[in-house]
Amino acid sequence: MAIHIITTQPFSDQRPGTSGLRKRVTVFQQPHYLENFVQSVFDAIEAPVGASLVIGGDGRFYNVEAIQVILKMAAANGIGRVLVGRNGILSTPAASCVIRKHKTFGGIILSASHNPGGPQGDFGIKFNSANGGPASEKVTEAIFSRSKELVQYKIVDAPDVALDVVGETELAGMKVEVIDSVSDYVDLMATLFDFDAIRQLLASGFRLRFDAMHAVTGPYARAILVDRLGAPPDAVMNAEPLPDFGGGHPDPNLTYAHDLVEIMYGDDAPDFGAASDGDGDRNMILGKRFFVTPSDSLALLAANARLAPGYAQGIAGVARSMPTSAAVDRVAQELDIPCFETPTGWKFFGNLMDAGRVTLCGEESFGTGSDHVREKDGLWAVLFWLNILAIKRQPVETIVKRHWARFGRNVYSRHDYEELPSDAANGLIEHVRAQFASLPGQVLGRYTVKACDDFSYTDPVDGSVSQKQGIRILFEDGSRIVFRLSGTGTAGATLRIYLESFEPDTAKHDEDAQDALAELIAIAQQISELKQRTGREQPTVIT
C-alpha cells in the first residue's frame, strides 16, 4: 500500500489547551485540519520506528472517522502496532490503563471531555505519554510549533479497518489489534476495591443510581456495577453511548445531570447517586438529597483511603489544583503526608505520581484520581465511595458531616460564566490584575484583603515553571476568591470564579454554601466589575 505525501498549509489555531486540541466538529472536518494536527503530533513525539500506540475515544460524533485517518497516518509514520478500542471506544482513564499495562509509547485519545457532541458539537484530540498521562507542556508546545510550519503529511492509501470485532489485522505492515474496551479497566478496579464488600452492600437493599449521560462510561458501569457487583440493570441510567450524548451536555454537575439530580432529591431517593462525563474522567457524587462537592470528595477519600484494599498501606501524599478547596490540606496535615498545590490540568499531577510523592489527586472540576493511572477517573471515584459506604454503613450525608465535625468545613462554590466574548473576559481578568497594588489592606465588608497574586507553580520534580495560572484574592481570615479563564471550552471564553471560606463551627455546617458565601460573591462581582463588563446577571452553572 502506497504512502501518500499530501501537500498542505499550516493552521494557526492548533495550540493544545489543558487537555489537548478542542474545536467544533466542523473545524476538524475542514480539509487537512485533523491530518495536520496528527502529523504534528507524530513529528513532535519522535516515536521510534515500530513503536506501539493506543488509540480510542469517547464515541462522540466524528470519533470513528478520525480514528480511521489516524490509523492510516500511523502506518505511514512508521508505527508498528496500534491497540484500538472496539468500535473506537476507550474512556480516557481506560486508555491510560491500557497504555500503562501494555507499555506502549503512548496513546492518542479522541475526546472533548464534558463538552457537547453531535455534528454541531465539539471534538478533541490529545497525546498521552508512556506513563499514561497527558503530554507535558514541553511536548504540547513542540506539537504547536510543528503545526505552525507543517507543509505536508503522510498517509497510506488503504481501506478502513474493521473496528467492531476484537482481533488482530494488518494495515500497510502495521499491526492493528482491536481490544475489548472494558476488560483491562475492570480487572484493574478489582485489584483496588473490595468487590465482595460492595456486593454485600448492594445485596442488603442499598440502592444506587449511576448516570452515564449517554457517554462512554455506560459499558464500563454495566460491566462493573451490574455484571460484577450485582446491582439491578436499572441502577445504570442513560447507559448507551451516543454520538450526540442523547442531545444532552455530558458534564456531571447539578445543572447538566438534571435527570439524576431530580431522582436523588425526590421522595423515594436512592441511597447513593453518581454521574460521569463524556470521556469518563469526571464524577459527581450525591447522597439522598445531598450533594458532595468535588473538593470535599477528595478530602474524604484521602481520610478514608485505608478502607480500600488498594490503599490499605496508606497514601504517600495528596495533590490538588490551586482552585480546589483546602479541605484535603487539613486531612494531609493530620495524616502527616505532603500536600501539593498545582495549576489546573491533570498533567501537573503526573510528575508527582511518577516520583512517588502523591497517591491521590483531585480538581474541583469534578475530577478525582490516583496513581493507578495517570488521568482522573470517574468510575474509580464512584467505586471508592461505594467501598467506603460498604465498610461504614452510614448515609453519605452522615459521613460528610462527621468529616466536617472532625476537620471543619471548607465552604466552597464555583460560578461559571460560559461563552463570554473573549475580549470582555480578558478585559475583566486584566482589570482585576491591575488592582494588585491597591487591594491589599482594603476592608471589603467583613473581609480584609491580605494579598493578591497570579498563581505560579514550580514543579518540584523537574523544576519547570508555569505562570499566570489563576488570579487569587487572599483574605486575612483564610477566605479567598480565585478568577480563572478555563482552557476546556471551544466557543468564546469561560470565566470561572471560585469562592472559599473556612467554617469550624459545627452549628453552621448546615448552611447553604451560596448563603454562607453571599458576601464573598458580592465582593467578587465588585472587584471584577463583572456585570458591567459581561452583561451577565447570573452564572451559567453554579457548583
Side-chain angles (χ1 to χ4, degrees):
M1 298 178 185
I3 295 177
H4 288 225
I5 308 297
I6 308 298
T7 300
T8 186
Q9 291 182 335
F11 292 89
S12 62
D13 62 345
Q14 294 194 330
R15 180 191 290 276
T18 53
S19 293
L21 182 68
R22 293 182 186 173
K23 301 287 182 182
R24 296 291 194 196
V25 169
T26 50
V27 174
F28 274 99
Q29 289 175 322
Q30 296 176 87
H32 310 303
Y33 193 89
L34 171 67
E35 292 87 345
N36 273 30
F37 187 76
V38 172
Q39 188 64 56
S40 299
V41 170
F42 285 132
D43 289 351
I45 65 174
E46 298 180 339
V49 174
S52 297
L53 289 180
V54 171
I55 299 177
D58 60 13
R60 66 178 56 232
F61 188 86
Y62 199 54
N63 189 72
V64 172
E65 295 88 341
I67 286 176
Q68 296 292 352
V69 169
I70 295 168
L71 286 172
K72 294 169 188 177
M73 292 187 66
N77 279 276
I79 300 299
R81 175 171 172 253
V82 169
L83 303 175
V84 58
R86 184 181 176 191
N87 293 318
I89 296 287
L90 276 176
S91 76
T92 293
S96 182
C97 167
V98 174
I99 291 168
R100 293 171 63 79
K101 179 176 180 178
H102 295 275
K103 296 180 171 56
T104 68
F105 187 79
I108 295 177
I109 300 175
L110 306 177
S111 174
S113 188
H114 55 294
N115 295 4
Q120 303 305 314
D122 296 339
F123 191 75
I125 178 171
K126 68 175 181 176
F127 177 73
N128 277 30
S129 302
N131 72 345
S136 67
E137 286 190 319
K138 179 179 179 181
V139 173
T140 57
E141 281 302 308
I143 293 169
F144 179 51
S145 294
R146 181 60 179 148
S147 75
K148 293 186 292 184
E149 61 188 23
L150 194 78
V151 294
Q152 63 182 33
Y153 60 84
K154 295 185 284 189
I155 189 168
V156 298
D157 183 9
D160 286 351
V161 177
L163 300 178
D164 57 343
V165 178
V166 171
E168 191 173 292
T169 185
E170 188 174 295
L171 176 66
M174 180 181 76
K175 292 182 179 179
V176 179
E177 185 177 348
V178 178
I179 62 172
D180 185 309
S181 302
V182 175
S183 59
D184 285 340
Y185 179 82
V186 174
D187 291 345
L188 179 58
M189 293 301 104
T191 69
L192 300 175
F193 302 113
D194 190 340
F195 275 18
D196 288 338
I198 299 172
R199 195 177 296 110
Q200 291 170 16
L201 173 71
L202 297 180
S204 72
F206 180 94
R207 296 164 57 217
L208 73 88
R209 191 65 63 91
F210 178 84
D211 189 354
M213 303 188 82
H214 287 302
V216 76
T217 46
Y220 296 86
R222 279 175 171 163
I224 297 176
L225 298 176
V226 178
D227 298 344
R228 292 288 294 269
L229 299 177
D234 65 358
V236 181
M237 58 190 284
N238 299 322
E240 191 67 31
L242 298 173
D244 65 348
F245 306 117
H249 189 150
D251 193 354
N253 59 45
L254 294 171
T255 299
Y256 295 127
H258 48 80
D259 291 348
L260 176 68
V261 172
E262 287 180 7
I263 291 170
M264 294 306 301
Y265 280 81
D267 294 334
D268 188 32
D271 300 289
F272 178 77
S276 193
D277 69 329
D279 66 332
D281 64 355
R282 299 181 183 222
N283 72 91
M284 177 172 69
I285 302 296
L286 297 165
K288 189 177 296 187
R289 292 179 288 280
F290 189 83
F291 167 65
V292 183
T293 72
S295 295
D296 280 335
S297 182
L298 173 63
L300 275 152
L301 297 185
N304 294 281
R306 289 180 181 272
L307 298 181
Y311 309 94
Q313 302 306 309
I315 54 180
V318 294
R320 63 170 175 85
S321 64
M322 180 274 287
T324 302
S325 94
V328 75
D329 302 40
R330 302 180 187 281
V331 175
Q333 184 175 16
E334 180 166 309
L335 295 177
D336 195 25
I337 58 175
C339 180
F340 297 88
E341 183 180 35
T342 76
T344 297
W346 208 258
K347 57 192 173 187
F348 293 103
F349 296 140
N351 276 358
L352 296 170
M353 290 188 284
D354 287 346
R357 297 197 182 191
V358 302
T359 304
L360 301 186
C361 307
E363 297 179 339
E364 50 66 43
S365 53
F366 296 84
T368 326
S370 85
D371 59 358
H372 68 289
V373 291
R374 293 298 184 271
E375 290 277 5
K376 47 187 176 278
D377 190 345
L379 198 51
W380 168 90
V382 172
L383 292 169
F384 210 144
W385 265 94
L386 288 173
N387 199 141
I388 292 169
L389 290 163
I391 303 301
K392 286 185 171 288
R393 297 296 178 112
Q394 297 167 349
V396 170
E397 182 176 2
T398 300
I399 291 173
V400 174
K401 289 186 174 179
R402 288 185 177 179
H403 180 92
W404 289 344
R406 178 181 174 189
F407 293 99
R409 181 187 177 191
N410 284 75
V411 187
Y412 183 84
S413 185
R414 186 182 93 191
H415 289 200
D416 290 359
Y417 294 82
E418 297 178 343
E419 297 191 3
L420 295 174
S422 294
D423 56 350
N426 288 319
L428 182 150
I429 291 294
E430 289 304 320
H431 173 68
V432 177
R433 190 175 281 129
Q435 300 174 68
F436 279 8
S438 60
L439 275 172
Q442 282 194 33
V443 178
L444 303 173
R446 60 189 174 97
Y447 297 93
T448 301
V449 179
K450 179 180 180 180
C452 312
D453 67 10
D454 240 329
F455 180 64
S456 177
Y457 176 70
T458 300
D459 191 299
V461 178
D462 65 17
S464 61
V465 178
S466 300
Q467 297 179 330
K468 293 190 174 181
Q469 296 295 313
I471 290 175
R472 301 188 299 181
I473 311 297
L474 308 174
F475 298 93
E476 294 284 358
D477 69 346
S479 300
R480 63 178 185 154
I481 300 169
V482 175
F483 298 89
R484 179 176 167 272
L485 296 181
S486 171
T488 60
T490 61
T494 294
L495 172 69
R496 303 197 197 283
I497 302 177
Y498 311 85
L499 309 121
E500 179 179 4
S501 65
F502 179 66
E503 182 53 75
D505 186 355
T506 56
K508 298 180 179 179
H509 283 177
D510 287 334
E511 188 174 5
D512 181 84
Q514 303 310 310
D515 294 334
L517 296 169
E519 191 171 359
L520 277 180
I521 293 169
I523 292 170
Q525 293 177 346
Q526 173 190 336
I527 289 173
S528 64
E529 296 183 350
L530 189 145
K531 293 180 181 179
Q532 303 95 303
R533 290 175 175 274
T534 69
R536 297 288 182 89
E537 293 290 332
Q538 298 293 332
T540 313
V541 178
I542 296 176
T543 51

